Amino acid sequence: MKNQFVGANRVEMELTLWRSREERFSKLFSMSISANRALLREKLHHYERAAIKYKGTSDPEERFALQVMQQERRQMEKQLYPNFLLRMLRRLLVLPARERISVRKDVKNTEANSRSLKEQIQKAGFSGLASKLDEQIRQGQPQFSIPNSYYINERERVDHHLHFVRDHTGNYQFNGFQAKLYDEAKPEASRQYYVEAREGMDIGRVYQLLEGRAVQKEGTWIQLDLNDKDAQGNNRVKEFPFSYGFDLERVLQDLPIKELRNQSTAYQLLDKLKQGSREAVSFLQDDREYRYYIEANPQFKSVSIFDEHSRKVTLSSALGNKTPEAIKVSQQMNQQQQLNFKKLNGVKVHH
């Protein structure tokens, strides 16, 4: 659920917050709010804090709200401090001191907000954006985005747009980022995906999705539908939960993959495939090694196999026209593969 204050007039929010307090007080006390000096003094302080906090705003709506609020502040001052000299002394001595304290607090808060945002985008895989982020925060806009692009090869480019929105406290939140894989040779084939910050996806896994590969996220396999987009131009996501029945470990056990002989390399292979990577492996057949590349294919409960030229090959061709069952029986190494997978899955192995 989106925050109702996101991108709104912050001065108006401050006034709304005070109005809600007045409504609560009116239900608790029988006296008139306007006649109670303690409450009127607190209201004036609330307005003054808001005026100091948003003094340098560039938002025209906020600037107008501050002007109107100043007129009401003057009326409350006259009511609380009828003596003109006392009002002037208060403006010259008390308010500047409060403003200095408030400015120091705002600086510390801004620095903390900036550090938090930098940690979040760093975790998502972005680097070198610190100065751009600080500049945008200084401008104080209700929301902003930071572009980030780089080439994968001579014709493919990945474009990112990181989105930030200011909340009702005045702090900025990292909402997420738009990722687009642009092919200069085939612009119409470009792929796009919006990642919400709460998903915890980094740019590495998002790139694998844009390439059309599947990624495992919190036990569920996800993959972009390259033939279907939403109204914003983002490719829709296909999901394959655990109940769908794709068991990558079991699929790999049926293949004569050299890397599965060793527990460490087996674990690394599984982890990289779950992150969406296309991995190089060696198929062992008749005491010979054949180099292929594989990637997870949850929709068809299998792995896709490619040759050194990135051409897709069938499983039977990769196995030398032998069935996986025949390979499993004939290859002694499969016993070791099964033991390794059991160890990876926390199953005790008895010899």
Side-chain angles (χ1 to χ4, degrees):
M1 183 176 179
K2 292 185 177 180
N3 193 314
Q4 61 176 325
F5 293 119
V6 167
N9 182 327
R10 294 173 296 174
V11 179
E12 183 180 341
M13 283 186 261
E14 296 285 354
L15 299 176
T16 302
L17 288 172
W18 176 260
R19 188 177 298 114
S20 65
R21 290 182 68 186
E22 279 191 348
E23 291 174 356
R24 292 199 307 271
F25 289 143
S26 64
K27 293 177 182 179
L28 293 172
F29 305 104
S30 58
M31 67 189 73
S32 171
I33 296 296
S34 59
N36 187 286
R37 290 183 62 83
L39 289 175
L40 186 61
R41 188 179 295 109
E42 178 59 27
K43 181 178 181 179
L44 177 59
H45 291 171
H46 183 89
Y47 278 29
E48 288 172 344
R49 286 193 295 268
I52 294 171
K53 188 174 182 180
Y54 305 114
K55 180 179 180 181
T57 180
S58 58
D59 187 298
E61 288 293 322
E62 292 180 348
R63 292 172 68 87
F64 176 72
L66 287 173
Q67 292 175 4
V68 176
M69 190 172 68
Q70 184 178 14
Q71 295 178 2
E72 191 166 350
R73 285 169 52 202
R74 294 288 181 257
Q75 293 177 359
M76 286 187 284
E77 275 186 327
K78 289 180 180 180
Q79 188 173 348
L80 287 167
Y81 310 103
N83 185 289
F84 175 76
L85 182 59
L86 184 61
R87 290 201 305 271
M88 292 300 102
L89 287 173
R90 184 176 180 275
R91 292 179 191 178
L92 292 173
L93 300 177
V94 178
L95 293 184
R98 284 185 182 174
E99 183 171 357
R100 287 192 296 271
I101 295 172
S102 178
V103 168
R104 286 197 295 269
K105 288 177 62 176
D106 286 345
V107 169
K108 290 182 178 180
N109 183 63
T110 299
E111 291 175 348
N113 187 207
S114 176
R115 283 195 302 271
S116 176
L117 294 175
K118 289 171 185 175
E119 289 173 0
Q120 291 178 59
I121 64 177
Q122 185 76 28
K123 187 176 180 180
F126 296 98
S127 60
L129 302 179
S131 60
K132 292 181 180 179
L133 178 61
D134 286 335
E135 176 60 28
Q136 291 290 343
I137 290 176
R138 280 194 293 270
Q139 292 182 21
Q141 296 298 322
Q143 56 187 4
F144 63 86
S145 66
I146 297 178
N148 177 253
S149 300
Y150 54 86
Y151 276 86
I152 299 299
N153 51 51
E154 63 274 7
R155 63 181 181 83
E156 285 188 319
R157 186 183 74 240
V158 177
D159 297 330
H160 294 119
H161 282 85
L162 291 73
H163 297 283
F164 302 84
V165 176
R166 189 177 57 201
D167 63 20
H168 68 285
T169 67
N171 286 328
Y172 286 98
Q173 303 295 329
F174 175 44
N175 272 13
F177 62 94
Q178 186 86 43
K180 182 176 183 179
L181 180 61
Y182 182 77
D183 190 333
E184 294 182 348
K186 299 178 181 178
E188 71 283 356
S190 297
R191 300 153 186 184
Q192 187 170 295
Y193 180 51
Y194 184 79
V195 186
E196 294 188 10
R198 59 183 176 82
E199 294 182 55
M201 295 278 284
D202 58 39
I203 59 176
R205 286 189 292 170
V206 171
Y207 170 70
Q208 303 294 0
L209 288 173
L210 294 173
E211 283 286 1
R213 291 189 276 273
V215 170
Q216 191 180 78
K217 186 182 73 169
E218 298 177 351
T220 295
W221 287 91
I222 61 173
Q223 191 171 17
L224 296 187
D225 189 334
L226 304 184
N227 299 310
D228 189 15
K229 295 185 178 183
D230 61 20
Q232 288 72 44
N234 296 310
N235 290 85
R236 297 187 187 278
V237 178
K238 299 183 290 185
E239 295 189 359
F240 306 96
F242 178 79
S243 58
Y244 184 75
F246 174 55
D247 189 336
L248 177 60
E249 290 90 338
R250 186 176 296 276
V251 170
L252 292 178
Q253 285 180 35
D254 291 338
L255 301 176
I257 298 176
K258 176 183 177 182
E259 287 73 15
L260 300 180
R261 281 181 157 182
N262 179 276
Q263 184 178 351
S264 177
T265 56
Y267 178 83
Q268 292 176 12
L269 177 61
L270 274 172
D271 184 58
K272 290 180 178 179
L273 290 174
K274 289 178 180 179
Q275 293 185 47
S277 179
R278 178 182 292 183
E279 287 298 303
V281 295
S282 296
F283 280 23
L284 296 178
Q285 300 178 48
D286 303 323
D287 297 327
R288 297 183 62 186
E289 293 186 16
Y290 298 87
R291 200 67 165 167
Y292 291 103
Y293 296 84
I294 62 172
E295 62 185 52
N297 191 340
Q299 183 168 356
F300 296 100
K301 301 176 183 178
S302 64
V303 293
S304 297
I305 306 172
F306 303 86
D307 63 17
E308 67 275 14
H309 302 293
S310 297
R311 295 176 301 202
K312 195 170 183 178
V313 299
T314 63
L315 177 58
S316 61
S317 175
L319 297 178
N321 294 319
K322 296 180 181 180
T323 64
E325 290 76 12
I327 293 292
K328 186 175 181 179
V329 171
S330 63
Q331 294 288 344
Q332 184 179 2
M333 68 168 214
N334 278 61
Q335 296 178 2
Q336 183 61 44
Q337 288 176 201
Q338 293 177 14
L339 292 176
N340 285 336
F341 277 117
K342 288 179 180 178
K343 291 178 183 177
L344 291 173
N345 292 325
V347 178
K348 291 184 178 180
V349 180
H350 300 280
H351 296 282

